Amino acid sequence: MLFRQLLDHESSTYTYLIAAGIGDEAVIIDPVKKNIAQYMMLIQQFDLKLVAAIDTHLHADHISALGDLSSQLGCDIIMGEQTQAQGVDRRLKDNDQFHFGGLSLRAIHTPGHTDDSYCFVMPDRVFTGDTLFIRGTGRTDFQHGSASDQYDSLFNRLLTLPDDTLVYPGHDYNGMTVSTIGEEKKFNPRLQVDSREDYIVLMNNLKLSPPKMMDIAVPANKNCGR
Ligand code: FE
């Protein structure tokens, strides 16, 4: 498999470019608008046909490249069916499969960080968006977030994947790149709670400041970053 994990330094966002191999159909997950030249370079160098650009949710901390990639390469824009974004070509629902170039992604609806949050599962790995981070979880205090919903998304969905499933998050603020479900079950401090109530108390007492770009990013991303 051709797999590239790309970092946006400013927002600590990870973007993933995935294809079976050189010359094949590809998808990109959570691309950042200002890094589009880098994506175009890799797509060209690997002779990829980008068939879809996917956002795991409506981002508040960076402007999405979905619209620009679609305009320039003609790929489909994919998000979850709950999204408020306009101009989405395909709206996935829970358990939908997306096939491309001999690979496939299974969408799982994992509300909590936002109500439109999805994770994408491949046989050996999962793209966890802002639902599960390495030793953390996505905040639940805006954009229809819900700590209670996130508890279900984590404990009843993501953590039921095999322990050796690789975890590729939507962000990392500490220089970590990859983990596993088993490792997070054991060492993620947010996952050491005894009950839903404990998780809600934990998440409701984080006292985080709003993302710097929220007032610009959310309206832009409702139009796929165009
Ligand atoms: Fe987010």
Side-chain angles (χ1 to χ4, degrees):
M1 187 164 73
L2 194 157
F3 177 74
R4 292 293 179 272
Q5 181 180 32
L6 305 162
L7 173 66
D8 177 59
H9 288 281
E10 202 179 328
S11 61
S12 300
T13 299
Y14 281 130
T15 299
Y16 300 97
L17 180 66
I18 312 155
I22 289 172
D24 286 323
E25 290 183 344
V27 303
I28 195 163
I29 298 177
D30 288 337
V32 177
K33 186 179 176 96
K34 70 182 173 52
N35 301 337
I36 195 162
Q38 182 186 44
Y39 312 143
M40 298 298 271
M41 181 193 81
L42 290 173
I43 289 164
Q44 192 193 10
Q45 289 175 345
F46 295 135
D47 189 27
L48 300 173
K49 178 174 172 23
L50 191 74
V51 292
I54 304 171
D55 269 355
T56 51
H57 60 288
L58 199 125
H59 297 288
D61 60 349
H62 67 268
I63 300 178
S64 170
L66 294 189
D68 289 356
L69 285 166
S70 170
S71 303
Q72 294 187 37
L73 297 172
C75 64
D76 279 349
I77 293 175
I78 296 182
M79 289 188 75
E81 63 178 350
Q82 292 79 4
T83 187
Q84 293 177 49
Q86 302 293 311
V88 174
D89 297 301
R90 184 163 169 198
R91 292 167 175 262
L92 296 179
K93 56 186 191 309
D94 190 46
N95 271 319
D96 275 356
Q97 295 266 357
F98 179 75
H99 300 277
F100 63 102
L103 301 176
S104 78
L105 292 170
R106 181 169 64 91
I108 52 174
H109 185 215
T110 51
H113 173 62
T114 63
D115 57 351
D116 71 341
S117 288
Y118 275 72
C119 296
F120 294 93
V121 183
M122 295 182 81
D124 69 336
R125 65 194 65 197
V126 57
F127 301 95
T128 56
D130 293 2
T131 302
L132 176 64
F133 295 145
I134 300 172
R135 312 297 192 263
T137 56
R139 63 193 297 171
T140 55
D141 56 339
F142 58 75
Q143 286 190 288
H144 313 286
S146 158
S148 180
D149 287 353
Q150 193 172 58
Y151 180 88
D152 289 324
S153 296
L154 290 163
F155 286 89
N156 300 331
R157 301 302 300 273
L158 285 179
L159 300 188
T160 66
L161 293 169
D163 278 356
D164 61 355
T165 307
L166 297 167
V167 170
Y168 284 102
H171 296 281
D172 191 86
Y173 305 99
N174 305 302
M176 304 285 273
T177 53
V178 62
S179 180
T180 65
I181 290 292
E183 194 181 313
E184 291 312 306
K185 271 186 196 165
K186 223 172 170 176
F187 300 120
N188 190 321
R190 300 255 175 99
L191 303 181
Q192 309 310 313
V193 292
D194 292 325
S195 65
R196 174 190 306 274
E197 287 64 39
D198 286 358
Y199 188 74
I200 295 169
V201 170
L202 174 67
M203 295 307 287
N204 289 348
N205 284 294
L206 294 178
K207 299 186 174 72
L208 301 167
S209 46
K212 273 176 273 175
M213 281 190 71
M214 188 162 176
D215 295 341
I216 302 164
V218 170
N221 291 339
K222 284 186 176 170
N223 198 21
C224 295
R226 284 190 174 101

